[in-house]
Each structure stands twice: as C-alpha cells, then as structure tokens.
C-alpha cells in the first residue's frame, strides 16, 4: 500500500501536466479544485481544532481523530498531488 501511494504521487502530477498541456481548460479546472479543496480542508481542520479546544479535550487521540474524516483525507490528498503538479510545472517552466 505504501508503494502504491508513492507511485501514485509520482504518476498523478505527471498525468495532470500532460492533460493540461493537451487541453488548456484543465489548468483552470485543477486550480478551481485546489481552491475548493483548500477551503474544505481548512474548514475541517479549523472546526475540529476549535471543537477540541472548546471541549478541553486536548489528547493525542482526540486531535488525531481528524484523520478519520474521509473528506479531510481526500482533500488533503488532492492538495498534496496538486502541490507536486505545480512544482513540476514550475520546474518545466524554468528549463
């Protein structure tokens, strides 16, 4: 499973660069998705941390419970892949 995560984190950004080079509209789609996922990711993180502070339940298991939220994991995964995609675009542009 760990190997698949590493392989996909290499393949997906390369695939995103290829797709956006073929169809320029995908550049906008990827950016809009990144904006939406950032808002969702930040909202989940901030509301979870706020609730932990309000409940005075600052335990490691409580804080790490945020990782059980599938929306948090999905949006975080997209942001990670998107960041690698942007680094790849930047690297190709500076050649």
């Amino acid at each position: 499973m760990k190997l698949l995560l590493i392989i996909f984190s290499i393949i997906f950004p390369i695939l995103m660069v290829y797709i956006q080079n073929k169809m320029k509209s995908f550049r906008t789609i990827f950016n809009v998705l990144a904006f939406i996922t950032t808002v969702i990711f930040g909202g989940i993180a901030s509301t979870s941390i706020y609730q932990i502070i309000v409940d005075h339940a600052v335990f490691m298991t409580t804080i790490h419970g945020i990782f059980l939220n599938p929306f948090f994991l999905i949006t975080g995964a997209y942001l990670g892949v998107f960041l690698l995609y942007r680094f790849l675009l930047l690297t190709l542009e500076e050649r």
Side-chain angles (χ1 to χ4, degrees):
M1 184 65 174
K2 292 177 187 177
L3 185 61
L4 281 177
L5 290 173
I6 293 169
I7 290 171
F8 285 136
S9 67
I10 294 169
I11 291 174
F12 278 122
I14 294 170
L15 186 62
M16 289 170 77
V17 168
Y18 176 77
I19 291 171
Q20 71 98 29
N21 281 335
K22 290 291 180 189
M23 294 173 275
K24 297 296 182 193
S25 62
F26 271 89
R27 182 178 300 178
T28 303
I29 293 170
F30 293 149
N31 289 333
V32 169
L33 278 175
F35 177 79
I36 293 168
T37 57
T38 301
V39 171
I40 294 170
F41 185 84
I44 293 170
S46 62
T47 56
S48 297
I49 292 170
Y50 174 76
Q51 193 60 48
I52 288 168
I53 291 171
V54 166
D55 294 342
H56 299 290
V58 185
F59 300 111
M60 284 300 185
T61 54
T62 308
I63 292 170
H64 288 97
I66 194 171
F67 294 123
L68 298 175
N69 186 329
F71 292 113
F72 182 80
L73 295 174
I74 291 168
T75 57
Y78 180 76
L79 289 174
V81 169
F82 180 78
L83 187 65
L84 293 172
Y85 154 74
R86 294 303 294 184
F87 284 150
L88 190 55
L89 282 179
L90 184 64
T91 302
L92 292 173
E93 183 181 301
E94 291 181 350
R95 284 189 301 147

